[in-house]
mmCIF file of all heavy atoms in Angstrom:
data_model
loop_
_atom_site.group_PDB
_atom_site.id
_atom_site.type_symbol
_atom_site.label_atom_id
_atom_site.label_comp_id
_atom_site.label_asym_id
_atom_site.label_seq_id
_atom_site.Cartn_x
_atom_site.Cartn_y
_atom_site.Cartn_z
ATOM 1 N N LEU A 81 16.361 -7.727 -11.732
ATOM 2 C CA LEU A 81 15.944 -8.593 -12.826
ATOM 3 C C LEU A 81 16.052 -7.837 -14.146
ATOM 4 O O LEU A 81 15.840 -6.683 -14.219
ATOM 5 C CB LEU A 81 14.546 -9.065 -12.618
ATOM 6 C CG LEU A 81 14.267 -9.923 -11.371
ATOM 7 C CD1 LEU A 81 12.784 -10.188 -11.196
ATOM 8 C CD2 LEU A 81 15.023 -11.227 -11.473
ATOM 9 N N PRO A 82 16.444 -8.552 -15.189
ATOM 10 C CA PRO A 82 16.532 -7.912 -16.520
ATOM 11 C C PRO A 82 15.165 -7.489 -17.020
ATOM 12 O O PRO A 82 14.136 -8.130 -16.662
ATOM 13 C CB PRO A 82 17.115 -9.010 -17.412
ATOM 14 C CG PRO A 82 16.856 -10.251 -16.707
ATOM 15 C CD PRO A 82 16.748 -10.001 -15.249
ATOM 16 N N GLY A 83 15.099 -6.484 -17.854
ATOM 17 C CA GLY A 83 13.874 -6.105 -18.441
ATOM 18 C C GLY A 83 13.237 -4.876 -17.761
ATOM 19 O O GLY A 83 13.841 -4.299 -16.766
ATOM 20 N N ASN A 84 12.113 -4.414 -18.264
ATOM 21 C CA ASN A 84 11.469 -3.255 -17.813
ATOM 22 C C ASN A 84 10.530 -3.644 -16.650
ATOM 23 O O ASN A 84 9.623 -4.374 -16.803
ATOM 24 C CB ASN A 84 10.644 -2.586 -18.865
ATOM 25 C CG ASN A 84 9.994 -1.331 -18.435
ATOM 26 O OD1 ASN A 84 10.320 -0.748 -17.411
ATOM 27 N ND2 ASN A 84 9.003 -0.887 -19.223
ATOM 28 N N ILE A 85 10.770 -3.112 -15.407
ATOM 29 C CA ILE A 85 9.993 -3.379 -14.324
ATOM 30 C C ILE A 85 9.061 -2.208 -14.114
ATOM 31 O O ILE A 85 9.425 -1.031 -13.956
ATOM 32 C CB ILE A 85 10.863 -3.550 -12.985
ATOM 33 C CG1 ILE A 85 11.750 -4.724 -13.168
ATOM 34 C CG2 ILE A 85 9.962 -3.766 -11.813
ATOM 35 C CD1 ILE A 85 12.740 -4.887 -12.037
ATOM 36 N N SER A 86 7.765 -2.457 -14.171
ATOM 37 C CA SER A 86 6.787 -1.382 -14.040
ATOM 38 C C SER A 86 5.592 -1.934 -13.287
ATOM 39 O O SER A 86 5.460 -3.082 -13.026
ATOM 40 C CB SER A 86 6.365 -0.854 -15.362
ATOM 41 O OG SER A 86 5.750 -1.916 -16.125
ATOM 42 N N ASP A 87 4.749 -1.024 -12.874
ATOM 43 C CA ASP A 87 3.482 -1.389 -12.177
ATOM 44 C C ASP A 87 2.653 -2.277 -13.081
ATOM 45 O O ASP A 87 2.454 -1.988 -14.188
ATOM 46 C CB ASP A 87 2.690 -0.084 -11.873
ATOM 47 C CG ASP A 87 1.690 -0.244 -10.748
ATOM 48 O OD1 ASP A 87 1.752 -1.280 -10.087
ATOM 49 O OD2 ASP A 87 0.862 0.647 -10.624
ATOM 50 N N ILE A 88 2.287 -3.427 -12.555
ATOM 51 C CA ILE A 88 1.520 -4.341 -13.331
ATOM 52 C C ILE A 88 -0.005 -4.060 -13.218
ATOM 53 O O ILE A 88 -0.418 -3.469 -12.216
ATOM 54 C CB ILE A 88 1.741 -5.823 -12.923
ATOM 55 C CG1 ILE A 88 1.365 -6.055 -11.458
ATOM 56 C CG2 ILE A 88 3.184 -6.217 -13.184
ATOM 57 C CD1 ILE A 88 1.280 -7.503 -11.092
ATOM 58 N N SER A 89 -0.728 -4.429 -14.201
ATOM 59 C CA SER A 89 -2.160 -4.198 -14.171
ATOM 60 C C SER A 89 -2.832 -5.294 -13.304
ATOM 61 O O SER A 89 -2.620 -6.464 -13.603
ATOM 62 C CB SER A 89 -2.635 -4.210 -15.578
ATOM 63 O OG SER A 89 -4.089 -4.045 -15.595
ATOM 64 N N ALA A 90 -3.577 -4.870 -12.327
ATOM 65 C CA ALA A 90 -4.283 -5.846 -11.489
ATOM 66 C C ALA A 90 -5.722 -5.395 -11.487
ATOM 67 O O ALA A 90 -5.989 -4.225 -11.491
ATOM 68 C CB ALA A 90 -3.714 -5.863 -10.083
ATOM 69 N N PRO A 91 -6.715 -6.287 -11.418
ATOM 70 C CA PRO A 91 -8.065 -5.904 -11.321
ATOM 71 C C PRO A 91 -8.265 -5.069 -10.131
ATOM 72 O O PRO A 91 -7.817 -5.291 -9.003
ATOM 73 C CB PRO A 91 -8.817 -7.274 -11.139
ATOM 74 C CG PRO A 91 -7.848 -8.311 -11.471
ATOM 75 C CD PRO A 91 -6.455 -7.766 -11.295
ATOM 76 N N GLU A 92 -9.021 -3.892 -10.360
ATOM 77 C CA GLU A 92 -9.335 -3.022 -9.248
ATOM 78 C C GLU A 92 -10.801 -3.180 -8.916
ATOM 79 O O GLU A 92 -11.676 -3.447 -9.725
ATOM 80 C CB GLU A 92 -9.086 -1.601 -9.607
ATOM 81 C CG GLU A 92 -7.635 -1.214 -9.700
ATOM 82 C CD GLU A 92 -7.309 0.231 -9.724
ATOM 83 O OE1 GLU A 92 -8.198 0.994 -10.156
ATOM 84 O OE2 GLU A 92 -6.251 0.663 -9.298
#
Side-chain angles (χ1 to χ4, degrees):
L81 295 174
N84 182 16
I85 299 174
S86 61
D87 198 14
I88 60 168
S89 176
E92 286 194 335

